[in-house]
Structures are given as C-alpha cells and as structure tokens.
Amino acid sequence: MKIIISTLAVFLISNPIFAFDLFNPDRGKPPSPPPYIFVRPQLPSHFQQPKPPMQNIPAPPKKELLPQKDFTLLGTSRIGNKRSVILRGPDQKEFLLRFNNKPTEIKGYEGYKILKVEARDILIEYPENAPCRKSNEKKGIICSADQKTATVSLKRGKAITPLVSAPSAAAPPPVTPRNHGPIAPPTPKGYNMPQEGYKMPPKTKIKPENIPPGMRLIHTPFGDRLIPIK
C-alpha cells in the first residue's frame, strides 16, 4: 500500500498541469467555437447592376467682366481731419469728392470706393465684376496684385512754353461812335515835311449811299469827312 501511495505522489509532483486539470471545473467541456464573421455573398455577374459611365460635368461658366474704368487725380486738399479730392472720371468729367476717413463711394460709379487719401495719391477700390487689370503709369494708375484696388497718384504736367505774340497787323482807322465811319487825320500845323522818301497817306473816300441819317459829307484835302447836321 505504501508503495502505491508513494508512486501516486511522485506522479502528481512530476505532472503539475495534470494535477491542476484534475480539479478544473471546465475540464471535459468542448472548446468554444470561433467568432462568427459575416461575409457578403458575391452575386453572379448577370445579377449585378452595371455602374453608370462617368459623365463629363461641364465647368460653371465664367462671369463676364466689365471694362476697366480709371480715374485721374487732379488734386487733394485738407481742412482739419476732412479731405477733398478732385477727380476726372472715365467720361472726362471733373468733380469734387469729400472724404471723411472712411470708405467713400464715388457717386455715379457703382462699386468704386475711395479707401485712403494722402497728399499726392489715393487708394480706389474696384468692383468685383470690373477689376483693375491693367496699370497706366502715365496717368499714375497702378493696379494691386489681387486686382481689387488701384493706387492713383497725382501727376504734374510739363511746363508750358510761353507763347510769343506775333506782330499785330496794322490797326484799322478809328471809328466815331455816331456814324461808325473813318475819321480823317488832323491837318498838320507848322510842320515841314521832308520831300524825299515821304508818301502822302491815301485819301478817305465816302460814297453818298454810305452817309447815315443826320450826317453830311464834306471834302477835305486829306479825304472825305462826316459831320453832324446842325
């Protein structure tokens, strides 16, 4: 009997796992089944709906841009915190606009606003449908990179060459306020005229039909004269 107990003790000590399973309550139960994984069945090709072909979706039409309108800066003035701007519009009309340090719309030109006024330049905002696309340095117009605004500078014109007046033509003979006719030159008194190189002026002749009412014609050595009838 001692031999059997000793043999059993040695067996249990040499096999600890077996000894643990001996008292496991789940010993002898079947193993748990693996987790269920759902697999969608693949339909036969004749049951599958064909995918619609890819269609070329047209791009949205681009907005048509209006022509660019530019302004010319003619001058600025400042009284206290208020500034005034003199502009020439795209229609070549000149007008005065007052700026109160806030975006000011240019009347008559929808979408155009003055954003800033300095001594010699201003900043103008352009509308979205008519951006500033082309600069004009001769007129002092520089478009911004995003084409939303333009800096308009005051340009000084070249000095004008003074005009030299041409010699005037010989003045016509004086006219009297009454008869609007020519007056004969006065008779020289006590003047010895040189004989060489001197030419007498032409005598004035008045036709009878040119005598106005209230006047009468007299003949003198220097020409005809009109005098009032007494």
Side-chain angles (χ1 to χ4, degrees):
M1 186 65 179
K2 292 181 178 180
I3 297 172
I4 296 172
I5 294 173
S6 299
T7 304
L8 182 60
V10 172
F11 179 77
L12 291 175
I13 293 171
S14 61
N15 296 278
I17 298 176
F18 179 78
F20 179 77
D21 292 339
L22 183 63
F23 299 100
N24 188 358
D26 295 332
R27 186 173 64 84
K29 293 182 179 181
S32 300
Y36 178 75
I37 301 174
F38 176 76
V39 179
R40 184 182 297 274
Q42 185 72 21
L43 296 176
S45 59
H46 58 276
F47 285 106
Q48 294 181 1
Q49 296 181 356
K51 295 182 179 180
M54 294 294 294
Q55 297 180 357
N56 296 327
I57 301 176
K62 295 182 179 180
K63 295 182 179 179
E64 185 177 357
L65 299 179
L66 298 178
Q68 175 180 331
K69 295 182 179 180
D70 296 326
F71 297 83
T72 303
L73 180 61
L74 301 180
T76 61
S77 63
R78 178 177 179 178
I79 302 177
N81 295 329
K82 298 181 179 180
R83 292 181 179 270
S84 299
V85 180
I86 303 176
L87 293 175
R88 180 184 292 127
D91 52 1
Q92 301 304 314
K93 291 183 179 180
E94 299 179 5
F95 56 92
L96 176 68
L97 183 66
R98 303 190 183 278
F99 179 75
N100 297 326
N101 297 323
K102 62 181 180 180
T104 304
E105 185 174 358
I106 303 178
K107 295 182 180 180
Y109 304 93
E110 185 178 359
Y112 293 85
K113 298 179 181 179
I114 295 182
L115 305 181
K116 188 178 180 182
V117 176
E118 297 293 343
R120 294 189 55 81
D121 55 63
I122 62 176
L123 184 64
I124 297 181
E125 180 183 36
Y126 281 61
E128 294 183 359
N129 58 350
C132 184
R133 304 182 291 275
K134 186 177 180 180
S135 301
N136 191 334
E137 296 184 2
K138 291 184 178 180
K139 293 185 178 181
I141 301 171
I142 304 298
C143 299
S144 60
D146 57 4
Q147 300 182 350
K148 295 182 179 180
T149 60
T151 301
V152 182
S153 302
L154 181 64
K155 289 291 184 180
R156 291 182 178 178
K158 297 182 179 179
I160 300 176
T161 305
L163 298 177
V164 179
S165 58
S168 59
V175 179
T176 59
R178 290 185 178 181
N179 54 30
H180 303 281
I183 299 177
T187 304
K189 295 181 180 181
Y191 180 75
N192 296 325
M193 294 181 294
Q195 298 297 326
E196 297 180 1
Y198 178 78
K199 293 182 180 180
M200 293 292 293
K203 296 182 180 181
T204 303
K205 294 182 179 182
I206 301 176
K207 295 181 180 180
E209 59 266 24
N210 294 334
I211 301 174
M215 304 295 291
R216 66 187 182 89
L217 177 65
I218 61 173
H219 301 281
T220 68
F222 302 97
D224 298 341
R225 292 186 61 184
L226 292 174
I227 59 175
I229 300 175
K230 296 182 180 181

